[in-house]
Amino acid sequence: MIEVVASMARGPVFLAGEVMECLITFTNPISHLSTSASSEMLAWASAQIHCQFHASESRVALPAQGTKQDVQAESDTVLIPSRGEGGQCMLDTPPKILFCDLRLDPGESRTYSYSEVVPNDGPPSFRGQSVKYVYKLTIGCQRVSSPIKLLRVPFRVLVLHGMPEPPFPQDEEVAPSNPFLEEEEGGRRDDRPLERALDMLTITSRRCPHLFNITNMRGKVAKFCIFKTVYRLGEDIIGTFDFSEGDIPCIQYSVSLQSEEEIQQGYQRRPGQSINVTGHGRHLESCLHTASTHFSLPVPLNVTPGFSTDIVTLRWRLHFEFVTSREPMESHNVLQNQPEVTVWTGAEDSIMWAHLCFPTEYHLLLKVL
């Protein structure tokens, strides 16, 4: 028995265009149950990255694929990373040989380093209701006269669209130098995809207030202010409401962070099929007799930023719901001689309450990086 362990020192999240490094250890363990131990001989081992695409048959119509045999022959020495998996292989990198003819004595281990650039032309990792894009590092090894064994290590890929290209390299003689900065191996700091991505994400810190008047057919409900419309993963979406200038009393409001998963028209199973909407957080508040208030919704770290491919488009939005009154609501002012504890009760008849109020819905598109 051979034990294979893969370790990604930097973690399982990478940007497209970034170099992924993985240490792969092959061990011939000594079992306390066995009375005799023997050496193991491995013919070869290789590794490569691939992206597997899965689609819901009830919502996505894909072109017919030719029949493929999904059984690995014992004499086959070709590594197919998606062998045995459902769906389609969207892209894969060329395989890299780790070793050939490796002999491991009992208790002996060998560690090999694998590095590869995550493809730039692929989709991001995404697990939606209709489609899924899953990235995996597949490690294959084979004993002599034995079938190929595969080890799959899933990891996450983030794609930032519009990331600036690396600057043109300057000549060392004319390039400005700073004696207080250490020389970095592997190129300049701004040549690395991670550093350029961090520079790009600084645009999400720029604030420019956007004001919206919330109205319906009977008049103005409130004024809404959001400080920006571009957010990064893990950031809080903050907005404020001003009900003091409203003509219609607002009893309750809710704000939901939602993602829209839309299948492109050419791949829809049924013409005009609905868009899948997924909620990622909700703020609910009663606001009767409230002059102003605010909400805060965090963008989860485990979601996928907006993107678009030939098959699917993912967008982000804020969904608003307002419960307003059909009739004017009397303001309850606290008198000076009134006791500190005051109880206000709502309508006793739920049918009357439903007749007095009705909901209104709005949407605001956001950009999540």
Side-chain angles (χ1 to χ4, degrees):
M1 182 182 67
I2 295 295
E3 182 182 275
V4 183
V5 177
S7 175
M8 297 179 181
R10 254 208 51 213
V13 182
F14 299 90
L15 284 172
E18 194 177 4
V19 177
M20 183 189 71
E21 296 182 352
C22 181
L23 295 178
I24 306 169
T25 302
F26 297 83
T27 305
N28 182 8
I30 300 177
S31 176
H32 65 281
L33 299 178
S34 60
T35 57
S36 61
S38 60
S39 300
E40 293 284 353
M41 190 71 184
L42 294 178
W44 59 270
S46 66
Q48 67 182 116
I49 297 172
H50 77 283
C51 176
Q52 201 73 7
F53 169 73
H54 305 267
S56 171
E57 296 182 356
S58 61
R59 297 188 60 85
V60 182
L62 297 175
Q65 298 289 327
T67 58
K68 298 181 180 180
Q69 187 177 2
D70 201 25
V71 177
Q72 184 80 51
E74 292 189 0
S75 59
D76 196 354
T77 60
V78 178
L79 173 61
I80 302 177
S82 59
R83 179 77 70 182
E85 289 198 289
Q88 301 178 10
C89 184
M90 297 292 294
L91 60 86
D92 55 1
T93 60
K96 291 187 176 180
I97 302 297
L98 300 177
F99 62 79
C100 291
D101 298 332
L102 175 64
R103 180 188 180 91
L104 293 176
D105 295 327
E108 184 181 4
S109 297
R110 292 286 184 88
T111 300
Y112 298 87
S113 177
Y114 170 81
S115 63
E116 183 62 86
V117 177
V118 179
N120 275 314
D121 54 350
S125 299
F126 176 62
R127 292 182 177 271
Q129 301 182 32
S130 299
V131 301
K132 295 180 181 180
Y133 294 102
V134 183
Y135 281 84
K136 295 180 181 180
L137 168 63
T138 300
I139 303 165
C141 61
Q142 185 179 29
R143 287 176 173 174
V144 178
S145 302
S146 299
I148 298 176
K149 299 297 183 180
L150 301 179
L151 172 65
R152 295 188 174 97
V153 183
F155 63 95
R156 183 183 179 191
V157 174
L158 297 176
V159 178
L160 288 180
H161 299 283
M163 193 164 60
E165 295 295 329
F168 186 79
Q170 295 179 313
D171 186 36
E172 294 183 357
E173 297 180 358
V174 299
S177 60
N178 190 336
F180 300 100
L181 296 180
E182 297 181 359
E183 293 292 334
E184 297 186 4
E185 297 181 359
R188 294 165 52 92
R189 170 187 171 90
D190 49 6
D191 289 344
R192 301 180 179 181
L194 183 59
E195 303 299 340
R196 289 187 284 120
L198 293 176
D199 293 339
M200 177 185 174
L201 289 178
T202 56
I203 65 174
T204 63
S205 61
R206 302 173 184 173
R207 294 194 173 189
C208 181
H210 296 75
L211 298 176
F212 302 89
N213 288 322
I214 309 297
T215 62
N216 59 16
M217 62 180 64
R218 296 186 300 113
K220 183 177 179 180
V221 178
K223 179 183 291 185
F224 173 65
C225 176
I226 190 169
F227 300 101
K228 55 183 181 177
T229 57
V230 180
Y231 296 87
R232 60 179 181 267
L233 299 182
E235 192 173 5
D236 291 335
I237 302 173
I238 300 176
T240 62
F241 290 99
D242 183 4
F243 297 100
S244 61
E245 301 178 2
D247 303 324
I248 303 171
C250 184
I251 300 172
Q252 180 179 278
Y253 79 91
S254 67
V255 184
S256 302
L257 177 62
Q258 299 176 344
S259 60
E260 297 179 340
E261 180 186 352
E262 182 180 9
I263 303 301
Q264 305 291 6
Q265 187 174 1
Y267 292 91
Q268 293 181 3
R269 179 66 65 179
R270 299 176 302 277
Q273 69 183 26
S274 60
I275 299 175
N276 286 329
V277 178
T278 303
H280 302 274
R282 185 173 184 237
H283 176 88
L284 178 66
E285 183 177 344
S286 298
C287 57
L288 183 61
H289 306 309
T290 300
S292 63
T293 185
H294 72 281
F295 72 91
S296 177
L297 285 174
V299 180
L301 288 170
N302 60 340
V303 299
T304 302
F307 71 97
S308 181
T309 65
D310 296 337
I311 300 176
V312 66
T313 296
L314 180 70
R315 293 184 295 266
W316 287 87
R317 73 183 189 185
L318 286 177
H319 176 79
F320 299 86
E321 294 183 6
F322 298 89
V323 178
T324 59
S325 174
R326 293 182 182 272
E327 298 180 1
M329 306 291 291
E330 296 182 1
S331 177
H332 295 269
N333 297 322
V334 180
L335 302 179
Q336 293 181 356
N337 57 355
Q338 192 171 350
E340 296 182 359
V341 179
T342 304
V343 179
W344 293 346
T345 59
E348 297 180 358
D349 191 350
S350 60
I351 299 179
M352 180 184 299
W353 182 259
H355 176 72
L356 292 176
C357 310
F358 68 98
T360 306
E361 298 184 4
Y362 302 89
H363 297 101
L364 175 63
L365 293 179
L366 299 176
K367 185 176 182 181
V368 176
L369 299 178

